[in-house]
Amino acid sequence: MATLVTTMRAAGFWSTWGIAVLAFILGRLGYGAIWHSQRRTPDLVSRAGIARTFQNIRLFAEMNLVENVLVGMDQHCTCGYWACLLRTPRFWREQSAMRIRAFEFLKFVELADAAGSLANSLPYGHQRRLEIARALATEPKLILLDEPAAGMNPAESADLMRLIRRIRDRGVTVVLIEHDMKVVMGISDRIVVLQHGKKIAEGTPEEIRTNPVCIAAYLGTEVVH
């Protein structure tokens, strides 16, 4: 069953301690062997069923939305070198099928109407959706979202929450790294809280909401309702 695990950062840096906690989470979810592999290259991680987005959006700005999503689908291409080089009928059939599939991913993130637009022409919230669509195009079992709500206005954050729930409902496990408390509490099945790189709590949203250590470290002095 797909779940949504959220990592909250109360304070401190993510780069060193957070990676260790992320490795722990992946191990608990059954992906430890891939994470600890000496050859943890992007292609190996992707083929193992793990995808990610970035805190700072990384799109192919001069490519349209369909082309951006097709990049995520590249590993599923079955045509060999010569078929691609010679543009055989098989190549064109597969390209056509992949474009249809790419459009379906755009439809899922509600960007189908802008499929032919350049990525850099999209507003910020839509660029984030496109990045998620590209990650989903790898057909992952697990997707890592690094602060997807960063820089979003309340309406965009609400739309993002609905999208993340729909991703989970597709059977994809979501690991979310996020500061936005409304997003964290609104969509998480389970939460891990970090302070200065150390895990200080783990539990359901309600358990975290009433945890005195978390209240002092992150939520303030009063329980958030």
Side-chain angles (χ1 to χ4, degrees):
M1 181 178 65
T3 56
L4 201 155
V5 180
T6 302
T7 300
M8 293 164 43
R9 285 178 278 178
F13 297 99
W14 170 254
S15 57
T16 301
W17 287 100
I19 292 298
V21 174
L22 181 58
F24 169 78
I25 293 172
L26 293 178
R28 291 279 296 273
L29 294 173
Y31 294 89
I34 294 298
W35 186 258
H36 293 292
S37 170
Q38 291 183 349
R39 185 177 172 270
R40 195 174 66 210
T41 56
D43 62 311
L44 177 63
V45 173
S46 181
R47 291 182 186 281
I50 302 175
R52 67 161 297 181
T53 64
F54 300 87
Q55 181 177 352
N56 297 318
I57 297 175
R58 300 182 186 180
L59 295 172
F60 297 98
E62 299 300 325
M63 294 167 60
N64 66 35
L65 275 61
V66 171
E67 291 167 340
N68 267 273
V69 175
L70 284 171
V71 171
M73 300 176 65
D74 180 72
Q75 68 184 32
H76 302 298
C77 180
T78 60
C79 283
Y81 172 79
W82 289 109
C84 293
L85 180 65
L86 299 176
R87 297 295 196 266
T88 64
R90 179 189 173 190
F91 167 82
W92 290 115
R93 286 195 300 270
E94 185 169 60
Q95 286 295 302
S96 177
M98 290 176 68
R99 284 184 172 274
I100 292 172
R101 184 64 174 146
F103 188 82
E104 291 174 353
F105 283 114
L106 291 175
K107 186 176 180 180
F108 178 77
V109 299
E110 300 178 351
L111 290 177
D113 291 343
S117 302
L118 295 181
N120 61 7
S121 70
L122 297 178
Y124 179 83
H126 288 184
Q127 289 189 26
R128 182 68 73 185
R129 285 172 172 268
L130 176 57
E131 190 176 45
I132 292 174
R134 185 180 61 189
L136 291 174
T138 67
E139 303 284 359
K141 300 175 183 176
L142 171 73
I143 185 169
L144 314 175
L145 304 179
D146 189 357
E147 297 198 27
M152 287 189 173
N153 61 43
E156 290 172 333
S157 293
D159 288 341
L160 176 69
M161 290 169 65
R162 286 191 289 270
L163 175 58
I164 293 175
R165 291 191 191 100
R166 290 170 56 217
I167 293 172
R168 177 187 56 189
D169 292 343
R170 285 169 64 102
V172 179
T173 296
V174 180
V175 176
L176 175 72
I177 303 163
E178 187 55 68
H179 282 293
D180 190 316
M181 291 303 303
K182 186 173 182 179
V183 172
V184 169
M185 293 299 180
I187 62 175
S188 302
D189 297 319
R190 195 155 190 84
I191 299 172
V192 177
V193 185
L194 304 180
Q195 184 180 33
H196 298 297
K198 296 182 179 180
K199 188 178 81 168
I200 61 173
E202 179 179 353
T204 65
E206 187 57 34
E207 290 170 341
I208 297 301
R209 194 191 307 271
T210 57
N211 185 308
V213 176
C214 296
I215 293 172
Y218 201 108
L219 302 178
T221 57
E222 296 181 358
V223 176
V224 178
H225 296 288

